[in-house]
Amino acid sequence: MFTLPFYLLVALVLLILASFFTVKQQTAAVVERFGKYSSIRQSGLQMKIPVVDRIAGRINLRIQQLDVIIETKTKDNVFVKMKVSVQFKVIQEKVYEAFYKLEYPHDQITSYVFDVVRAEVPKLKLDDVFERKDDIAIAVKRELNEAMTTYGYDIINTLITDIDPDIQVKNAMNRINAADREKTAAEYEAEAGRIRIVAKAKAEAESKRLQGQGIADQRREIARGLVESVDVLNKVGINSQEASALIVVTQHYDTLQAIGADANSNLILLPNSPQAGSDMLNNMVASFTASNQVGEAMKKANSTQRLAKKNPKNEENQEE
């Protein structure tokens, strides 16, 4: 029986094993034959001719991300650093183009991102850069798609993940923001103060109105009381002049009593002239006289009423 030498058997086993290879999931392998492109192998167990075929490279089909840091200037001459994140992947049907047409895809993508961002940002002011960052990202994606699709790459998304102005500019923006907030706070405080002043003025006006109404009612009642007092005095035979003098003297002594109720008060009565003092004395005498007359008249009236109550029969006989 013919038998192979041991070393030939080992070589044959190694040759058979070299004919098989595996490709991972979401990966494509490029196979060349004698240095020329042969085929694209997808995930799974694959076979090639040993020595004749070789694996030239493997392409990652998963979504990848490339972060690009760019420093550029805005329209208002402010330098900013922007971080642009580009998410891309190799088109499965264009693995050949991605492997053979473009040697350094990351560098190519970075160059296009620089070109688009430095063309768009100088058209905008710093505040507009923050507000329109999505527009810049869309412009970058559009430009990259037009350029990279030819090389077998699909741009999934582009994101402006960071906008970092110069530190002095950020400090100035913070001061502006703080000043604006202080201005707003001052306006609110002023408005609150105005509301308090208006409310206080309205309350004082209402208080004065009620106080005036109270004084008017008081004076009206005083006048009504004086009129009734004069009518009562007239009925007992005291004329209006004497009644007025009596009321004046009564008010005069009421005032003196009110002043004297305070132990710390002092009162000095000085007439303007001797004639004025004489007139005051005459008025006081007349008032006392009128007061005595009123007292006598009231005593007589009371005596008459008591007698009438004690002798009702005499009154009936007199009436008959």
Side-chain angles (χ1 to χ4, degrees):
M1 183 178 178
F2 178 76
T3 59
L4 291 175
F6 177 74
Y7 65 89
L8 289 178
L9 184 62
V10 173
L12 182 60
V13 171
L14 292 176
L15 187 63
I16 294 173
L17 292 176
S19 300
F20 296 94
F21 66 96
T22 59
V23 181
K24 293 182 179 181
Q25 186 67 31
Q26 290 297 313
T27 305
V30 180
V31 179
E32 294 180 349
R33 181 169 295 171
F34 296 116
K36 183 181 179 180
Y37 168 75
S38 174
S39 62
I40 302 293
R41 306 296 178 85
Q42 302 298 330
S43 60
L45 180 64
Q46 302 292 338
M47 185 178 179
K48 65 181 178 64
I49 301 174
V51 182
V52 177
D53 295 338
R54 76 179 186 89
I55 300 174
R58 298 174 186 267
I59 295 292
N60 186 2
L61 300 179
R62 289 176 292 183
I63 296 175
Q64 305 175 61
Q65 179 167 309
L66 175 65
D67 293 330
V68 183
I69 306 297
I70 308 168
E71 184 175 11
T72 185
K73 185 180 71 171
T74 62
K75 187 176 181 180
D76 47 356
N77 296 323
V78 177
F79 283 89
V80 295
K81 287 183 179 180
M82 302 180 63
K83 182 179 180 181
V84 182
S85 298
V86 181
Q87 298 173 350
F88 66 95
K89 70 173 184 176
V90 176
I91 303 173
Q92 193 167 2
E93 294 78 14
K94 293 186 176 183
V95 175
Y96 176 86
E97 289 83 355
F99 187 79
Y100 286 103
K101 286 188 176 183
L102 198 60
E103 185 173 6
Y104 301 108
H106 287 190
D107 294 343
Q108 189 78 5
I109 292 173
T110 300
S111 298
Y112 277 107
V113 171
F114 267 84
D115 182 66
V116 175
V117 170
R118 288 183 172 174
E120 294 292 331
V121 173
K123 300 177 184 178
L124 305 172
K125 293 183 179 180
L126 181 60
D127 293 339
D128 296 334
V129 172
F130 283 94
E131 294 176 1
R132 299 178 58 184
K133 67 182 185 67
D134 292 339
D135 296 339
I136 300 173
I138 292 172
V140 172
K141 180 182 178 182
R142 181 175 61 249
E143 187 71 19
L144 283 175
N145 266 328
E146 293 177 359
M148 299 302 294
T149 302
T150 307
Y151 302 111
Y153 286 88
D154 181 26
I155 306 301
I156 305 299
N157 203 357
T158 56
L159 303 171
I160 307 295
T161 57
D162 189 20
I163 301 174
D164 187 18
D166 184 79
I167 185 64
Q168 295 181 355
V169 176
K170 288 195 291 186
N171 292 336
M173 292 175 67
N174 290 333
R175 289 196 299 270
I176 292 172
N177 188 26
D180 186 59
R181 292 182 181 276
E182 289 177 358
K183 177 183 176 182
T184 303
E187 290 176 353
Y188 278 112
E189 289 178 358
E191 181 66 17
R194 186 187 68 81
I195 293 173
R196 286 194 295 268
I197 292 173
V198 171
K200 183 178 179 181
K202 289 182 178 180
E204 290 180 353
E206 182 66 15
S207 175
K208 295 295 184 182
R209 186 185 68 81
L210 295 175
Q211 183 180 2
Q213 183 177 352
I215 293 174
D217 293 341
Q218 180 185 10
R219 291 177 177 176
R220 189 180 301 108
E221 293 299 324
I222 292 173
R224 184 179 295 117
L226 292 175
V227 170
E228 293 177 355
S229 299
V230 171
D231 291 340
V232 170
L233 294 174
N234 288 335
K235 289 178 180 180
V236 296
I238 298 175
N239 58 32
S240 299
Q241 183 176 2
E242 293 174 344
S244 299
L246 178 60
I247 292 171
V248 169
V249 171
T250 303
Q251 292 179 346
H252 173 74
Y253 281 105
D254 289 341
T255 303
L256 293 178
Q257 183 178 2
I259 296 174
D262 188 358
N264 296 324
S265 63
N266 296 317
L267 176 63
I268 299 176
L269 299 177
L270 295 176
N272 294 329
S273 63
Q275 182 63 36
S278 177
D279 293 340
M280 181 183 295
L281 182 59
N282 293 332
N283 291 333
M284 292 177 66
V285 171
S287 298
F288 284 127
T289 304
S291 178
N292 291 330
Q293 293 177 357
V294 171
E296 293 296 333
M298 292 178 68
K299 288 180 181 180
K300 292 180 179 179
N302 292 333
S303 299
T304 305
Q305 291 177 359
R306 284 196 296 269
L307 291 174
K309 289 179 180 180
K310 289 180 180 181
N311 302 314
K313 294 181 178 182
N314 294 334
E315 292 181 357
E316 290 177 0
N317 295 329
Q318 292 176 359
E319 288 178 358
E320 289 177 359

